[in-house]
Amino acid sequence: MPQHTDEHTGARVKRARTMALQLEHLLSYASRPNVDLQMIPSSAGAAAAHVTSLTLLYCEQRPSVVWSDAPVDGMLQRTASAVTQIARTFDRLRANALPPDDSAEMIEMLLRE
């Protein structure tokens, strides 16, 4: 039987390999004692606003701030209202995420597929 492939087939295979490498990389970080890897399953729906990368910086001697990444640069949020709103969004994301052990199992399942 003749085999037929096209450029789209090659692209799908390449994306699958790239995704597998990324998932394996995440799993390698999940075993670190200072990392809690949590996945949000698609069954959770739109649990919270999809946001870019965030870093919440809590300081004992200074007000908390949030750094958010953007495609070209980032933004430092210093106002208490912005920090509070972003922290709530982060809390909603974590509330809908799987626990770390279940998240690792989900990644391992995806790698087997």
Side-chain angles (χ1 to χ4, degrees), residues 7-83:
E7 63 185 292
H8 298 291
T9 302
R12 282 192 304 274
V13 169
K14 186 176 181 180
R15 283 193 302 269
R17 284 188 195 133
T18 300
M19 179 62 74
L21 289 171
Q22 291 172 340
L23 291 173
E24 288 168 356
H25 185 72
L26 285 173
L27 275 179
S28 73
Y29 274 84
S31 62
R32 295 181 180 191
N34 62 332
V35 173
D36 288 325
L37 175 66
Q38 291 184 267
M39 301 276 294
I40 300 176
S42 57
S43 62
H50 292 279
V51 294
T52 61
S53 177
L54 295 173
T55 303
L56 294 163
L57 303 166
Y58 295 105
C59 306
E60 291 181 24
Q61 305 296 326
R62 306 178 108 180
S64 298
V65 297
V66 174
W67 174 261
S68 57
D69 288 327
V72 177
D73 56 10
M75 179 180 290
L76 185 64
Q77 297 287 342
R78 297 171 190 242
T79 64
S81 62
V83 171

Side-chain angles (χ1 to χ4, degrees), residues 1-5:
M1 182 159 23
Q3 294 286 328
H4 176 73
T5 59

Side-chain angles (χ1 to χ4, degrees), residues 23 26 36-52 54 88-107 109-110:
L23 291 173
L26 285 173
D36 288 325
L37 175 66
Q38 291 184 267
M39 301 276 294
I40 300 176
S42 57
S43 62
H50 292 279
V51 294
T52 61
L54 295 173
R88 285 184 183 145
T89 298
F90 182 74
D91 288 343
R92 284 195 306 275
L93 287 169
R94 287 198 68 191
N96 286 280
L98 297 171
D101 288 344
D102 292 347
S103 295
E105 286 179 25
M106 180 182 196
I107 292 173
M109 181 192 70
L110 290 170

